[in-house]
Amino acid sequence: MANLSTKYMGLNLKNPIVIGSSGLTNNLANLIEMEKNGAAAVVIKSIFEEQISLETEKLMKDKDNEKIKDFSASFGNYENASDSEYYEAYSYILNHAKDQTLNDYLKFIADAKKAVNIPIISSINCVSAYNWHYFARKIEEAGADALEINLYILPSNLARSAEENEQVYFDVVEAIKKVVSIPVSLKLGFYFSSLGQSIIKLSKTGVDGLVLFNRPYTPDIDIDKFEFNAGNITSHNYDYAQSMRWVGILSGRLDCDIAAATGIHDETAVIKQLLAGANVVQITSTLYENGYEQIKKIVDGLENWMKSKNFNSIDEFRGKMSQKNIENPAAYERVQFMKLYSKIE
Ligand SMILES: Cc1cc2nc3c(=O)[nH]c(=O)nc-3n(C[C@H](O)[C@H](O)[C@H](O)COP(=O)(O)O)c2cc1C
């Protein structure tokens, strides 16, 4: 029998299939099904700072809210308060709202730990350095096995330089690594002025894993209604190639593990990512499309392929096709279709 076990950020995994963060990982029954079908670890749904801010705003508007009444009793009517009083009121309510949402999230981590035996990776998506500290510590205390930072800066603010945008990633990792001892991964998008170099630098920050790459929400235009709508929510099975290229280029050059993500829908894509050098893969869209049985299909498919090639362990072939290990490293860098074009009429 082939041994599919592997390590990711120091976590011992029974195979390299990690379930990516999504609405599917926000529910205990789903986590149990994922484990039953062979998932090696799960990244639970991100807690979003926007979500917390929205709840805070709602709370602020809710004049009948007990906490606001409590606050008014002790500090007077916050609407007529001086700036400093208002500030105190605001931070009081803000912290209360934060705790409410966070407590639900923390309870979910603790419940998930009880419901399944596989590692539970928490996920946070924030935009402010202060909150990252706060959330990270609480998540560790709740029992998460690792923490994934979901940070995606769309460089759409035309007044901000590449350096300013990119510095945020370093600041956030530094802030979080300072306060937690569980492994920390950083899930990235493609938007860096010099992608390869930035990723190499990020791998040297002490981060334990890099998830390459997240797939952002992209708006689309309805040409009849002249409205915006959500673009494709799920990825296509050919979208793995972009991630595979960078996994292949960076494998063996980073000071941390790599989780390949986006467009990995079947065992073939998993095998390609492992050959390119990934430590694990994350899958999401394929579960929306094919159900949890797809996990078992992928794990069985990987094992059968290993047997057919006489590989006894993942380490025997991981990175075999990375840029460092192939005779023609340019294979990963070709971006023009010159040869292909000349053959296509
Ligand atoms: C419906 C849906 C919800 C998602 N929610 C999150 C999330 O909360 N946090 C996160 O880091 N990624 C989230 N993602 C992104 C996935 O984790 C994954 O990175 C992305 O879908 C690309 O992988 P895939 O091609 O296997 O789907 C979500 C994806 C989908 C489709």
Side-chain angles (χ1 to χ4, degrees), residues 63 66-79:
K63 299 280 166 42
E66 286 303 315
K67 283 286 160 190
I68 294 187
K69 276 197 216 151
D70 283 357
F71 166 76
S72 298
S74 29
F75 294 94
N77 183 340
Y78 75 90
E79 278 181 340

Side-chain angles (χ1 to χ4, degrees), residues 12-293:
N12 291 314
L13 305 186
K14 61 185 173 190
N15 64 54
I17 313 301
V18 175
I19 310 304
S21 174
S22 81
L24 297 177
T25 60
N26 202 17
N27 173 306
L28 291 180
N30 291 353
L31 300 192
I32 291 167
E33 277 307 301
M34 288 167 186
E35 182 181 41
K36 248 194 226 163
N37 280 283
V42 171
V43 186
I44 59 176
K45 173 103 185 109
S46 301
I47 183 159
F48 281 82
E49 189 168 323
E50 287 101 323
Q51 170 191 339
I52 294 162
S53 315
L54 268 177
E55 288 192 25
T56 306
E57 261 176 46
K58 254 196 268 161
L59 199 64
M60 292 285 286
K61 281 183 194 141
D62 180 3
K63 299 280 166 42
D64 295 329
N65 185 286
E66 286 303 315
K67 283 286 160 190
I68 294 187
K69 276 197 216 151
D70 283 357
F71 166 76
S72 298
S74 29
F75 294 94
N77 183 340
Y78 75 90
E79 278 181 340
N80 300 322
S82 67
D83 279 357
S84 63
E85 282 171 329
Y86 179 82
Y87 178 75
E88 278 202 76
Y90 186 78
S91 17
Y92 178 83
I93 293 164
L94 184 78
N95 284 322
H96 168 72
K98 226 194 265 172
D99 276 342
Q100 260 194 343
T101 311
L102 191 56
N103 281 341
D104 293 344
Y105 187 74
L106 298 176
K107 185 174 179 313
F108 184 73
I109 293 174
D111 290 346
K113 285 296 297 171
K114 281 186 218 140
V116 294
N117 292 313
I118 51 177
I120 296 294
I121 303 173
S122 62
S123 170
I124 49 177
N125 181 324
C126 296
V127 284
S128 102
Y130 170 77
N131 283 332
W132 290 99
H133 291 86
Y134 180 77
F135 296 150
R137 203 190 290 272
K138 291 278 187 192
I139 282 169
E140 177 164 29
E141 285 166 11
D145 294 285
L147 191 164
E148 187 171 283
I149 306 167
N150 171 12
L151 184 49
Y152 204 109
I153 299 174
L154 189 80
S156 55
N157 180 341
L158 305 182
R160 277 170 72 92
S161 67
E163 287 79 11
E164 283 174 292
N165 281 330
E166 289 167 22
Q167 188 57 40
V168 178
Y169 294 88
F170 292 88
D171 292 345
V172 168
V173 170
E174 194 189 337
I176 291 187
K177 282 297 289 182
K178 249 190 231 159
V179 294
V180 298
S181 54
I182 51 174
V184 174
S185 56
L186 179 60
K187 187 178 190 184
L188 301 173
F190 290 99
Y191 292 113
F192 284 85
S193 54
S194 179
L195 183 64
Q197 198 180 56
S198 295
I199 290 177
I200 288 176
K201 282 189 196 156
L202 282 168
S203 83
K204 297 184 191 306
T205 55
V207 79
D208 302 277
L210 286 168
V211 184
L212 310 177
F213 295 93
N214 201 349
R215 181 174 180 275
Y217 166 84
T218 42
D220 204 353
I221 291 177
D222 183 319
I223 60 167
D224 290 320
K225 296 183 186 157
F226 303 101
E227 283 173 358
F228 281 96
N229 55 30
N232 286 323
I233 305 283
T234 51
S235 62
H236 297 289
N237 64 358
Y238 46 79
D239 289 336
Y240 71 86
Q242 175 117 284
S243 160
M244 192 198 78
R245 162 180 273 165
W246 287 100
V247 169
I249 290 173
L250 293 165
S251 169
R253 297 186 163 113
L254 302 185
D255 288 8
C256 69
D257 288 343
I258 303 177
T262 293
I264 302 166
H265 286 224
D266 53 28
E267 64 270 24
T268 308
V270 171
I271 294 163
K272 289 178 185 181
Q273 292 284 14
L274 294 172
L275 285 168
N279 295 83
V280 294
V281 302
Q282 290 194 0
I283 57 169
T284 302
S285 292
T286 192
L287 303 185
Y288 277 99
E289 285 165 17
N290 302 308
Y292 303 127
E293 300 76 35

